[in-house]
Amino acid sequence: MLIHSIQAAAERLNQGDLVAFPTETVFGLGADAENPQAVAKIYQIKERPSNHPVIVHLAPEADLSYWAKQIPPEAELLIKAFWPGPLTLILERAEHIPDAVSGGQKSVGLRCPSHPTAQTLLREFARQRPNGQGGVAAPSANKFGQVSPTQYQHVLAEFASEMEQGELWVLAGEDAEVGIESTIVDLSRIAEGVAATLLRPGHISRRQLAEVLGYEPRSKDENAPQVSGSLKAHYAPKTLLQWLPRSEAAITQVINTIPRAETKQVKATWAVLVFEPAHFPAHPSVDYIQMPRDAAQYAKRLYRLLRALDQQGYTRIAVQPLPEDQSWEAVNDRLQRAAAAFED
């Protein structure tokens, strides 16, 4: 059911049911974070591995000490700089918070979204609770491993049968502005002498984190907590997706090897994402799609485009490699994982 009532959505969450709702990153599939049975419904409907943690979303006024055992100075700095916003912090989980949200780990992922609908929902959800504390566990509202939704229409299409059966309500709201999932920083090991660690790049860049922390966060290590979106293959469309070579000359060679349709009336079979279509040869089997040269704009468009291409009958999506500087780290990460889903 598609709904517009914040109060009804919060009541449903407090009853242990699922509500998808918008955030500035992507649409989330929400459940009461303190209700293990409700969280289990997320895993079931997403077909998500039970050891893959989810992120708890909090209202701006939430008491962080209710959720985390320790709040290191680094967390306070990052919260002041980036909350509300697309940043998830991994902290030591308070003992009374069920481990259902953390995949059995001692840590918990916490985030305060900036999307106005999300904030209103989180405030109303907490207001309805006896102690005034409420967190909503909410991974992206899609089947596990597939492209995250950035519009409520995406959620309606993804979970049509579940909605018919009353297993899910979708709260309408404005599109996700950022378009990719949040940056995730691990601070759960600060007391052990392990500095802030970047576990998933996002809209908030490594450089921005360094400016606040006073040092560049470490890269993920083998002892880091498992977090959302950390599997090698993830964020994948249904259509085969591959990288193109890095040079324009090599891309042209690939284009020229694609079998040509015998008549012009035959629909193109390849969608090719490039920065400058005019640099490449026209081909009857290829539709060139011009992509933004700005990393944030590319990210904002990416998931919506991949979902649209899935509906248009292409047999392949080919992507021109992206710049390798830090501003493109998050988009490169998402596309690398999407392409990995189709590797042997």
Side-chain angles (χ1 to χ4, degrees):
M1 178 186 296
L2 178 65
I3 60 171
H4 299 267
S5 169
I6 294 289
Q7 181 176 351
E11 289 173 353
R12 184 173 174 86
L13 288 169
N14 272 306
Q15 292 166 1
D17 294 315
L18 302 182
V19 175
F21 63 98
T23 79
E24 75 279 15
T25 57
V26 298
F27 269 69
L29 181 60
D32 177 1
E34 295 185 80
N35 183 335
Q37 290 75 31
V39 174
K41 294 179 182 179
I42 293 177
Y43 286 90
Q44 181 178 6
I45 198 172
K46 276 183 64 75
E47 301 170 5
R48 183 184 181 95
S50 60
N51 64 346
H52 207 62
V54 294
I55 294 169
V56 178
H57 293 63
L58 304 174
E61 304 81 13
D63 179 4
L64 203 61
S65 64
Y66 179 83
W67 299 91
K69 183 181 296 185
Q70 296 183 6
I71 305 170
E74 289 89 339
E76 295 176 354
L77 289 171
L78 293 175
I79 288 169
K80 183 177 180 180
F82 300 117
W83 277 18
L87 174 67
T88 295
L89 299 180
I90 306 299
L91 301 172
E92 286 190 77
R93 176 171 49 83
E95 292 183 1
H96 67 276
I97 302 300
D99 64 5
V101 296
S102 60
Q105 300 176 111
K106 295 181 179 180
S107 56
V108 63
L110 301 173
R111 179 164 108 74
C112 176
S114 61
H115 194 291
T117 302
Q119 288 196 6
T120 305
L121 173 63
L122 291 165
R123 285 177 169 134
E124 176 62 20
F125 174 70
R127 188 193 66 79
Q128 293 181 10
R129 300 177 73 79
N131 63 0
Q133 297 293 334
V136 176
S140 56
N142 55 278
K143 295 294 185 179
F144 184 71
Q146 297 182 8
V147 177
S148 298
T150 58
Q151 301 174 306
Y152 73 80
Q153 294 91 338
H154 297 162
V155 186
L156 300 182
E158 188 93 2
F159 293 107
S161 62
E162 289 84 356
M163 292 179 66
E164 276 187 20
Q165 297 167 17
E167 297 176 13
L168 173 66
W169 284 10
V170 178
L171 180 62
E174 295 181 356
D175 296 353
E177 181 68 20
V178 172
I180 59 172
E181 301 78 7
S182 62
T183 303
I184 301 181
V185 177
D186 175 34
L187 301 174
S188 67
R189 300 176 292 168
I190 294 291
E192 303 169 17
V194 181
T197 305
L198 180 61
L199 302 186
R200 182 175 72 184
H203 182 72
I204 296 171
S205 69
R206 188 185 295 266
R207 183 178 297 109
Q208 290 174 288
L209 296 170
E211 289 173 353
V212 173
L213 292 168
Y215 62 89
E216 185 169 297
R218 302 168 68 251
S219 295
K220 184 179 179 180
D221 59 275
E222 62 181 10
N223 296 318
Q226 185 177 3
V227 295
S228 298
S230 60
L231 299 181
K232 179 181 178 181
H234 216 80
Y235 313 115
K238 295 179 174 63
T239 307
L240 188 155
L241 184 146
Q242 70 173 64
W243 287 108
L244 289 166
R246 185 154 290 279
S247 76
E248 290 187 356
I251 293 174
T252 295
Q253 290 180 346
V254 170
I255 297 300
N256 287 332
T257 63
I258 300 172
R260 292 179 175 268
E262 295 181 1
T263 65
K264 292 184 179 180
Q265 285 71 36
V266 176
K267 179 175 170 30
T269 55
W270 282 46
V272 179
L273 282 53
V274 295
F275 293 113
E276 297 292 344
H279 292 182
F280 304 103
H283 192 295
S285 295
V286 173
D287 282 340
Y288 291 107
I289 298 172
Q290 185 167 10
M291 298 300 291
R293 285 194 173 274
D294 175 78
Q297 292 303 312
Y298 196 114
K300 182 177 181 179
R301 186 182 181 194
L302 179 60
Y303 286 167
R304 187 183 306 179
L305 175 62
L306 292 180
R307 283 183 168 270
L309 295 177
D310 270 342
Q311 302 300 315
Q312 295 173 28
Y314 293 103
T315 60
R316 188 167 309 203
I317 300 169
V319 182
Q320 182 178 10
L322 310 179
E324 296 180 309
D325 62 78
Q326 285 190 0
S327 64
W328 288 87
E329 184 176 11
V331 188
N332 266 309
D333 173 82
R334 303 309 190 273
L335 282 169
Q336 285 166 4
R337 296 180 193 276
F342 299 98
E343 295 174 357
D344 292 335

